[in-house]
Amino acid sequence: MSAAHSTPGQFTTRKKACLKCSEAKARCSLQRPMCSRCQGRGLECHWFNPDSPDTNGASAVIDYAAVGESNTSFPASVLAVEELRYSSTPIEPSPTTLESARIGSRWMDALIPPPGRIAKTFTSQTIQYISRILKSYAKTIVKDDALPPIVHLFQPAAPRQLLVNCRTLLRMWENRAPGSESLVRETILREMNRLFEEHHNYDHITLLSACQAYLLYSMYMFFCTDPDTRAMIDTATMINLQELASAMSLTGLYPSGMQERPLPDWESWIVAEAKRRTLYIMYSFDHVFNYYHDTTSYIGTELGHLPLPAHKGLWAATTENSWKTEYERFTREWPSEAPRLEDLWPQEAEVVVKERRERADRWVESADEFGMFMFAMSNMIFGS
């Protein structure tokens, strides 16, 4: 039967074309996962699902398998890097591992205010600033040749597939066909649920990627979508996110040897630094979520002992030798201990205040954009 004389509800020959060719009313090669026209123009190639009949395209369903196959890579710069030796890189438990329980139970603070904890009320201007920064991080995952500042260029390849899936699904949302919002939304939520349900079986490196992906899904859907999708990031989502972050922290937040000050393995340093950055952003997102849900936020003092974000030379190093050079310079500048988050926090004792202010000033001199955001967050949390 021809397309012009199809009966209602019958999938027609024209619907075999991909979405881009259909929209442009152009001839499609019908080659999957990417047709020749889309490939030649560098376009995302999405497909109608032939099992979902529709005569006008308004409720067309995206073929998830085809989209996934046509867009399953990190930026080109990531694919070009060498694989590192992650199979033998230990991570040391945090010296306050028990604090991971506090990370996983932050959602309970509003129900049972913890004794000795400090509540924080944010202004709308502060929340707008934090939201803009977090939104930019979430948007970065769908861009070419870019990564959010919580994901390291050299994170291991196998667990990185979870982040590749994240990029693919969020790009599906950005390039969704009219009427497909519900399907794409449900597909993202299914993947988020899978990450949470399977996280007990992950090793510490895969758990890092799972937590990063879950956080990026949550922030993207909260900041970058429509009101219906944003509403799906609810308290249950935040509970799952905090449990993932707690499980991640239990596997260690320091690279092997870091606390004794020798040179750690580059691979384990990458994983530990990415874990801490992910944790810091999860707390920032938690403050924004609580604000919009009229829930009290509490200052995350359990993170105070953790190191401040590494400076740009360390985080952006692209070879082990260049990283070693930067790390040796870092240990010369900080011979006793690395700067910690609590160095940015106020203290009552005048001697401690002076010492920490000097440490904070030295750290700021080499902080990158992510570090400066953490500096701003500390000022907003402990400021008036």
Side-chain angles (χ1 to χ4, degrees), residues 36-297:
S36 58
R37 180 176 178 274
C38 288
Q39 185 174 22
R41 288 167 171 75
L43 302 174
E44 295 292 333
C45 193
H46 296 171
W47 295 85
F48 290 100
N49 186 338
D51 295 327
S52 179
D54 176 60
T55 57
N56 58 23
S59 59
V61 178
I62 296 175
D63 185 337
Y64 171 67
V67 176
E69 291 175 6
S70 66
N71 187 22
T72 55
S73 65
F74 255 15
S77 58
V78 178
L79 296 178
V81 303
E82 61 179 305
E83 291 302 329
L84 302 181
R85 303 179 300 277
Y86 284 96
S87 58
S88 59
T89 53
I91 298 290
E92 291 186 355
S94 166
T96 55
T97 299
L98 292 178
E99 294 293 353
S100 64
R102 288 288 315 122
I103 297 171
S105 61
R106 281 182 62 80
W107 62 274
M108 294 182 62
D109 292 350
L111 304 175
I112 308 174
R117 302 276 285 177
I118 305 172
K120 176 63 182 180
T121 301
F122 291 94
T123 66
S124 60
Q125 292 84 356
T126 295
I127 291 298
Q128 289 174 15
Y129 168 77
I130 300 172
S131 297
R132 287 192 177 99
I133 298 296
L134 299 186
K135 180 179 180 179
S136 72
Y137 292 167
K139 293 283 285 185
T140 302
I141 193 65
V142 301
K143 295 180 179 179
D144 293 328
D145 295 313
L147 289 173
I150 63 173
V151 179
H152 196 276
L153 180 67
F154 284 84
Q155 280 186 218
R160 195 168 63 205
Q161 184 61 44
L162 301 180
L163 293 166
V164 171
N165 294 344
C166 177
R167 180 174 183 261
T168 298
L169 290 175
L170 294 181
R171 292 187 77 167
M172 282 177 64
W173 176 267
E174 291 221 331
N175 299 289
R176 63 194 180 278
S180 67
E181 290 83 0
S182 178
L183 174 69
V184 179
R185 185 188 302 126
E186 291 172 4
T187 303
I188 292 172
L189 289 175
R190 281 199 302 271
E191 175 65 5
M192 293 176 69
N193 289 334
R194 184 185 71 83
L195 290 174
F196 178 75
E197 291 168 0
E198 296 180 2
H199 82 272
H200 297 291
N201 301 321
Y202 293 153
D203 60 33
H204 76 99
I205 298 176
T206 307
L207 191 55
L208 164 62
S209 293
C211 189
Q212 289 172 327
Y214 199 99
L215 175 59
L216 289 167
Y217 283 129
S218 300
M219 293 197 303
Y220 186 94
M221 295 175 74
F222 191 85
F223 294 118
C224 310
T225 58
D226 56 76
D228 289 339
T229 303
R230 176 173 178 164
M232 301 184 79
I233 303 303
D234 54 12
T235 301
T237 305
M238 298 303 292
I239 292 174
N240 290 350
L241 176 59
Q242 290 168 19
E243 185 170 332
L244 278 168
S246 175
M248 180 187 71
S249 68
L250 273 173
T251 63
L253 297 171
Y254 293 94
S256 178
M258 179 177 177
Q259 297 179 77
E260 289 75 28
R261 305 298 288 170
L263 182 70
D265 293 329
W266 185 30
E267 298 89 337
S268 60
W269 181 91
I270 288 172
V271 172
E273 176 73 17
K275 283 182 178 181
R276 296 193 298 267
R277 287 179 173 228
T278 301
L279 202 55
Y280 300 156
I281 293 305
M282 189 276 284
Y283 270 64
S284 300
F285 181 46
D286 184 57
H287 290 314
V288 174
F289 180 88
N290 289 340
Y291 176 87
Y292 284 110
H293 288 79
D294 295 321
T295 302
T296 303
S297 277

Side-chain angles (χ1 to χ4, degrees), residues 254 276-277 279-281 283 300-309 338-347 356 359-360 363 370-371 373-375 377-379 381-382:
Y254 293 94
R276 296 193 298 267
R277 287 179 173 228
L279 202 55
Y280 300 156
I281 293 305
Y283 270 64
T301 52
E302 61 270 15
L303 304 184
H305 66 279
L306 294 177
L308 283 162
R340 300 186 298 260
L341 278 180
E342 61 189 10
D343 288 330
L344 303 180
W345 300 351
Q347 296 292 324
R356 289 195 172 177
R359 288 169 59 83
W363 173 78
F370 181 80
F373 172 62
M374 295 304 302
F375 180 70
M377 280 294 301
S378 294
N379 285 332
I381 288 173
F382 290 100

